[in-house]
Structure formats: C-alpha cells, structure tokens
Amino acid sequence: MTSPPPVRPTADAGLLAPGWTGSPAAEATGDTAYLRALLDAEAALTRAQAAAGLAPAGAATAVTAAADPARFDVRSLAERARGGGNPVIPLVADLTKAVGAEYGPYVHRGATSQDILDTATMLVAARTLGLVLDDLARTARALARLAAEHRDSAMPGRTLTQHAVPTTFGLKAAGWRALVLDARDRLTAVRDGLPAQLGGAAGTLAAFTAYGAGDATGLVAAYARELGLRAPELPWHTLRTPVADLAGALAFTAGALGKLAVDVLTLARTEIAEVAEGSGGGSSAMPHKANPVRSTLIAAASARAPQLAATLYGSLAAGDERPAGAWHAEWEPLRDLLRLVGGAARDAAELTEGLRVYADVMRQHLDLTHGLIVSERLSAELASVLGRTRAKELLTQLAARTYAEGRPLRELLAEEPELKDVDLDDLTDPARYTGSAGALTDRALERP
C-alpha cells in the first residue's frame, strides 16, 4: 500500500471550525495578531521607560521600529517556545537581536514573560471585542426591526415543547434583542476594564526600582497608557480576575446568541416552518434541503463556551506569586472563546438580517389545538358567567370532545345554551389573547 505524501504543516486555517473561520475575530486572534500584540507590549514598555528617564529616547525609537511582525518567524517562535514554556522567551531573543547591540539591552528590561504575554492577551481581547461588539450592534438593529414589524404577529407560545397560550413574534424578537444588549453591556464593561500587566519577576516591581525608577507604580500607569489599557491596582500574575471576568462575559454572550439560535432551529423545522434563514446551507446528499447553518453554528458555539470558561475559572486557583500550569492552561481556551464568540456574533448578524418570518403560518398554527390554546382565557371569562366549578367542568368536557370529534372548540361552545349571550368570537380568537405582548415589545424597544 502506497503511503500518502507528507503534508507540509500550515497555519491553522480553521478547517474544522466553520463557526469562526473567515470572521473578523479569526484574524484578530490568529498567531500573527498575537505576535503583533506581544511586540506592541514590548515596544510600549521601552517607550514608557524612556519617558520616565529609565532608557534613552533612542531605545524607544529603535525597539518600536524593530517590533514589526513581518521581521519574525511565527513558526520558529512557536517551536522554540517549548524550551521555556512560553513564546515570550524566544521573541525577546529575536527582538533584542533585531534592535542591535546599542539598544538591545533595553528590550524587555525589568519585565517577566508573564507581563508581556498577559498584556498581549488583553490587547488581543480588546481588539477582538471591538469587532464582536460591532456584530452585536448589527444583530440588535435587525432584531429591533423584526420586533417592530411583527409587534402584533400572533403565534403559539410554547412551554415544555407544547402549545401554551398565544404570544407574538414581536415579543420573541424583543426578547432575543434584550439578551443581545445584555451581552453587549457585559462585553463593553469588560473591554473597558482590561488591564495591562507589569510586575516583574514576582509582582514587586523590584527590578524597575533597581534600574532607577523612583516610583515604579507610576511606570505601570505610563505603560498602560501607551497601550490604551487600564492601569491595574496590583500586578495580577496570580490574581486572575480580568481573565475570569472576560471568560464570564464571553460565555454569557455565547449563551445569549445560543438562545436565539435554538429558537430559530425549532421554528425553522419542516413541520413548523414559521421562520427560515435567508440563505440556508445545502446538503451533500439531499438536494432539496436548505439547512439552518447559521443557527447551527451559533448553537455549537454556545455548547462549547461554558466548558472553555470553566477551564479559565479553574485557573483562578493560581499558586504562589507565579503559577506553574494554571496560567499556561488559560491561553488556548481563552483564544478559543474569543474565536467562538466572534464567529457566533458574525453569524448572528447574518442570521437576523436575513431571517424570513412567516406570520401567516404562525396564525394557522394557533388553530392546531382546535381552539384549546385559549382555554386559560375561557376559564377566567366563563367563571363569571357560569361559576368557577361549572366553567371548569364544561371546558374539561368540551376539550375531550374537541379532539374526539375533530371539531373546533368555538363550535362546541356555541351549542351550549348557557353561553348564548356570550361573544364567543372574541373569546375564542387566539390573536385577541396576547395579553400585554405589544406593550412589552414597545417597552423593550425603548432600550438603546
């Protein structure tokens, strides 16, 4: 048997990750983007020290100029990272060489690898979250339009998979939008609070003092300003609140979008067909199918996100002043979370902007229970006419006959002499029993 030709290793193109491949978040979290952030962190550190008089101005210029991702081999850095357990160590060596003998000693001076990698991670997160928030804004706008357009489009409300009482598609869309806005607010708060990391070997800033800093804490603030990040109160090498908060907001966002997706998946079933994706995906075997692919990929992201966040929460138990393993365990799941949520946000925007809503089908489905979907209303309204006990007894009897005889509840009620003066047309019309759905939709749409 002939062996297959050797496969030349390539960068991760996302072959098995259609949920995030090609999304803005994919590029913002790729190896090149991380390299860019690592170099930005190193250059900012030298500039901050130069501004504080701890390094020559020429060092800041030289390091910033040398910190060009195109000058570095990502694959070589990745392979050499095994030696020290992280990519910063080989990067510092390469950057120092690129800067040259005169200013090379000012590269990474006083910092530890975790300072640079944590800071780069915050930069990557901030840049990615901006893209995610753009897509969430698109989704919220599309849902606002759908909610307003279908404010009074009656449909079956489903509880525990069964028809319950009528609701409106407008209220459903308004609910989806509320979750999207909740996610937006959480991600915005997290993004605006992402901190730089600078503490030195054990979080004491001692090396910067040794190099002449009169106020090393001021250097931290200057470093954060260079990067557009928040200045932390303390070095957070083993105080992983920023990562945990980021994980929580990302997992919430995945779940919020997942709620939208699973509802669309249900309503788009062939036998329901109340909605459809604007451009469904094809099948390799069945030409007639138009699969709800966007919803499927969002649902997949929402299924994975909680477990990734759990790993990041588990890393809160980071020992000593620098952890062995807990910190290292964060890198891949955090990037996966950013990618998953970025892809889900992209798909949610496309899904909601193209969603087709079939209000006429929704109205038809209100009659599937032969009128029993308004039994709650009838119980309340007829109690004042017949008394509570008699109303319950009558409705129980007629409900059984509705299914046994295949006749509408309205027709059976009309045969009861006790109800000859009751306006049954109003009482049995499901579209007239949507409660405050319209007002609730209006109120939800007032939220900016």
Side-chain angles (χ1 to χ4, degrees):
M1 181 176 179
T2 304
S3 299
V7 177
R8 184 172 180 268
T10 60
D12 182 6
L15 182 64
L16 299 182
W20 57 257
T21 299
S23 70
E27 183 175 354
T29 57
D31 283 352
T32 300
Y34 248 98
L35 174 59
R36 169 78 274 173
L38 290 166
L39 291 167
D40 287 345
E42 290 286 5
L45 178 59
T46 308
R47 290 197 301 271
Q49 293 192 65
L54 304 178
T61 301
V63 174
T64 300
D68 178 359
R71 301 180 64 171
F72 299 85
D73 185 338
V74 174
R75 183 170 298 283
S76 173
L77 291 170
E79 292 171 352
R80 287 183 288 146
R82 285 185 52 80
N86 73 73
V88 177
I89 295 172
L91 178 63
V92 169
D94 290 357
L95 180 59
T96 300
K97 182 178 179 180
V99 170
E102 182 179 3
Y103 295 122
Y106 294 99
V107 172
H108 195 73
R109 197 168 74 154
T112 191
S113 296
Q114 190 171 351
D115 290 331
I116 300 303
L117 188 49
D118 276 349
T119 298
T121 297
M122 295 298 100
L123 286 173
V124 167
R127 293 162 182 174
T128 306
L129 291 183
L131 301 171
V132 173
L133 289 167
D134 289 343
D135 281 333
L136 291 182
R138 288 175 57 196
T139 302
R141 287 194 295 270
L143 290 174
R145 175 183 55 79
L146 287 170
E149 181 179 344
H150 293 282
R151 177 187 185 274
D152 301 312
S153 296
M155 66 179 296
R158 296 172 171 93
T159 64
L160 302 179
T161 76
Q162 306 298 297
H163 284 202
V165 296
T167 184
T168 67
F169 185 75
L171 183 58
K172 183 177 284 290
W176 294 339
R177 177 177 179 268
L179 280 176
V180 170
L181 296 182
D182 288 345
R184 174 203 65 186
D185 293 347
R186 284 159 174 76
L187 288 181
T188 300
V190 167
R191 181 196 60 179
D192 293 347
L194 292 174
Q197 174 75 283
L198 193 62
T204 65
L205 300 169
F208 299 109
T209 301
Y211 285 121
D215 177 16
T217 60
L219 179 63
V220 177
Y223 177 54
R225 285 195 298 273
E226 285 284 341
L227 295 161
L229 296 173
R230 182 177 62 82
E233 293 182 5
L234 295 171
W236 45 280
H237 295 146
T238 53
L239 309 174
R240 307 306 285 174
T241 302
V243 174
D245 284 348
L246 179 57
L250 288 169
F252 178 89
T253 302
L257 298 178
K259 160 60 177 172
L260 158 64
V262 297
D263 278 353
V264 170
L265 289 170
T266 296
L267 299 179
R269 286 178 177 272
T270 303
E271 60 270 27
I272 297 178
E274 293 177 358
V275 303
E277 290 194 4
S279 55
S283 165
S284 65
M286 294 164 283
H288 69 280
K289 292 189 71 180
N291 296 321
V293 175
R294 301 278 78 76
S295 302
T296 297
L297 295 177
I298 296 169
S302 71
R304 288 189 61 201
Q307 286 69 41
L308 293 168
T311 298
L312 297 170
Y313 279 119
S315 293
L316 280 167
D320 301 323
E321 279 60 58
R322 296 276 304 287
W327 172 53
H328 306 73
E330 294 174 350
W331 308 341
E332 292 172 276
L334 180 52
R335 178 155 75 167
D336 285 346
L337 255 182
L338 287 167
R339 286 175 165 177
L340 280 175
V341 173
R346 181 266 311 265
D347 285 336
E350 294 178 359
L351 167 64
T352 53
E353 288 172 348
L355 190 68
R356 297 198 294 264
V357 180
Y358 301 112
D360 55 335
V361 177
M362 294 175 177
R363 180 62 186 85
Q364 292 169 19
H365 287 168
L366 288 170
D367 297 326
L368 287 177
T369 58
H370 306 293
L372 293 176
I373 197 168
V374 294
S375 62
E376 179 188 66
R377 181 185 189 186
L378 290 168
S379 295
E381 298 280 359
L382 296 184
S384 62
V385 178
L386 307 175
R388 183 176 180 182
T389 300
R390 173 56 183 154
K392 180 179 180 180
E393 177 186 71
L394 177 62
L395 288 171
T396 300
Q397 294 172 354
L398 296 185
R401 288 180 59 195
T402 293
Y403 281 109
E405 300 174 21
R407 298 171 63 193
L409 179 61
R410 163 71 176 82
E411 183 179 308
L412 295 176
L413 288 168
E415 295 174 355
E416 297 295 324
E418 301 166 279
L419 303 179
K420 59 182 178 62
D421 296 325
V422 176
D423 183 359
L424 294 176
D425 288 334
D426 178 72
L427 287 182
T428 58
D429 183 355
R432 300 182 188 182
Y433 189 56
T434 57
S436 299
L440 290 169
T441 301
D442 293 341
R443 185 168 72 180
L445 292 180
E446 291 175 0
R447 179 179 174 183

